[in-house]
Structure formats: structure tokens, C-alpha cells
Amino acid sequence: ALLECLFGVPFAQAAAMTSSELVLSWKTALVTRGDVALFAPGEWLNDHCITFYLEYLAKQHGDAASRVLFLGAESAFWILNEKDEEDLKDGTEGLELGEKDLIICPLNDNNDFEREGGAGTHWSLLVARATAENQLSCEYYDSMGTSSLGDARRLAARLSMLRLAALGPGSGASAPGVAVVDCAKQENQSDCGVYVLLFVRSVLEAYLSKGAAVSAFRPQDAAQMRREVPELIRQEAVAVAAAKGGPT
């Protein structure tokens, strides 16, 4: 019902409109009508969907999450696939990797640098935590198996290298191991991206609770997330329009 009336028109009519029509440009998130439609049951989320939710969580928790890096899906893809190390260091300087205690990295199994946008077939999550020894301890969350574990290890190694560069000489960071977390599993072929959003929320809540366990969730929570995020997009679109003096 939410999707059907989200933007004031029936969903069938909205689907016939230009899917590339921009409905929200907010922080690093660009969301089109086509992106919103991906929250309908049975659809696969793309990088715009993932990045919006990470931006929303960063805003929602504000200063409490100031030492959390929410790495957008597009940024994670670029860090994983960029071959020029100097470009990597220059491009990630603003991320302040040396100042973060928790790094949240959505992973898409697309390795074709010419096809961005979450063009693969599966989403998973890498979580990196700074330890007392100034190293990174990494975890891999996957709602289906371990098909992207190799990519998670490569991304963890790159994050460690970039963090070492940010911390400066003498930091002594080494390539981190990546622990596979026994986590919730999806019951269909389309909810991997939705589960990534649930994993991110649970990991963040545990971090903000100062050591609480990552909470479990049920398949029903994925259906709820598909209803919840379009409403969050609508709310932010209204807020952005109001701030610009436009119609709400």
C-alpha cells in the first residue's frame, strides 16, 4: 500500500513514468522512481537503495555515530576495484579512515568496473572494527553463503592499507583476517540487499550500545524493511523540497 501511494499516484501509473526521474538528491544519495520501485517484493536492491539507507542512519544517529564510516555502495565498489594505489589514497583521504572505530562496507559481487550500480547478483556486508592495537578486525555477513568472501578479504586488506596511510608512518597495520559471522539467512532469491540493510542496522545498534550483541531478526523483518525505506525516502524528499522552498 505504501508503494502504491508513495508519490501521490498509483504504483502502476508510477511504473509507467520515467524510471530515471530523480525523486531525491540528498548528501551522497541519488534516488530515482526506479530505485524506489525496487523496494517492491521480489525486486533486487541497487546501490542507490543501499547508499540512501546508510546516509539515513548516519543522519539519524548524528554525533553518536561520528566515529562510524558508512561507506556508500558506490565507494566500496570503487575501493575494491580501483587499480591505481595513489588514486586510491587521494580519493579516500576525506574519509578519515584513521579516525574511525567502525567501518560499514556493503559489497556487491559485480567486478566489472564498467558496470556500476550494483549490477551483480548478490549483496553482502563487510564490517571493520578498530582494535586497541590500532589494527582492523573484520566480519563478513552474508544472507546466503560465502560467495563474496574473497572480495571481502580484498576490501579488508585495502581498507587496512589505506588506514595505515591515513595514520602515518609507524602505525604497523597488517592485513586483517575476516571472520564469517553466523547470521540470518534469506528465504528467497531477492532479499540479499534488504538483509544487508538489516545487518547494518543491527551492527550499528550493537556498536552504539557499547558492546551489546548484534541482534537477530526474522524474514518478516525484511518485508517490513521494504515498506519502511520508501517512507523514509518520501520523508527526506519532502524535507529537501521544504528546505528549498518547493512544494511538499
Side-chain angles (χ1 to χ4, degrees):
L2 174 60
L3 278 171
E4 290 174 359
C5 62
L6 179 59
F7 296 109
V9 294
F11 182 67
Q13 180 181 340
M17 301 171 79
T18 304
S19 63
S20 60
E21 181 184 348
L22 192 66
V23 297
L24 177 64
S25 176
W26 179 62
K27 299 183 182 292
T28 64
L30 297 173
V31 184
T32 67
R33 286 189 181 275
D35 299 329
V36 176
L38 297 179
F39 284 98
E43 299 291 339
W44 282 266
L45 302 190
N46 64 12
D47 55 352
H48 296 169
C49 301
I50 303 287
T51 296
F52 166 80
Y53 191 66
L54 268 60
E55 288 283 18
Y56 167 77
L57 290 176
K59 174 194 172 186
Q60 181 186 42
H61 294 287
D63 291 344
S66 61
R67 296 188 66 85
V68 178
L69 173 59
F70 298 89
L71 197 62
E74 301 90 342
S75 297
F77 175 84
W78 178 73
I79 291 173
L80 183 61
N81 291 281
E82 175 57 52
K83 294 180 171 56
D84 190 302
E85 187 172 312
E86 289 306 312
D87 284 350
L88 268 175
K89 290 178 180 178
D90 291 342
T92 56
E93 186 175 352
L95 298 179
E96 300 180 330
L97 283 164
E99 305 298 320
K100 304 301 181 182
D101 296 329
L102 182 70
I103 307 172
I104 292 174
C105 315
L107 274 171
N108 187 273
D109 65 355
N110 170 37
N111 289 319
D112 184 350
F113 209 41
E114 302 301 318
R115 298 178 66 233
E116 301 182 35
T121 60
H122 187 56
W123 287 100
S124 55
L125 181 71
L126 176 71
V127 174
R129 305 174 190 271
T131 69
E133 295 77 28
N134 223 8
Q135 307 289 312
L136 287 181
S137 173
C138 298
E139 303 154 7
Y140 174 71
Y141 294 79
D142 193 322
S143 59
M144 290 194 75
T146 58
S147 62
S148 295
L149 181 56
D151 283 344
R153 287 171 173 155
R154 288 200 301 118
L155 182 56
R158 289 198 158 196
L159 289 172
S160 181
M161 177 269 292
L162 293 167
R163 190 167 184 273
L164 173 61
L167 289 169
S171 304
S174 57
V178 178
V180 178
V181 177
D182 183 13
C183 56
K185 304 301 179 188
Q186 65 194 84
E187 295 184 341
N188 55 36
Q189 297 299 310
S190 58
D191 272 348
C192 55
V194 182
Y195 270 68
V196 164
L197 303 187
L198 290 166
F199 291 145
V200 169
R201 185 172 67 185
S202 296
V203 166
L204 180 62
E205 289 174 349
Y207 166 80
L208 295 175
S209 299
K210 309 295 183 185
V214 175
S215 60
F217 49 84
R218 306 158 300 167
Q220 304 93 289
D221 296 323
Q224 175 60 30
M225 181 68 80
R226 284 188 180 273
R227 294 189 293 269
E228 177 183 323
V229 179
E231 172 60 18
L232 298 177
I233 294 171
R234 186 194 67 80
Q235 292 173 7
E236 294 301 337
V238 168
V240 169
K244 294 179 177 178
T248 60

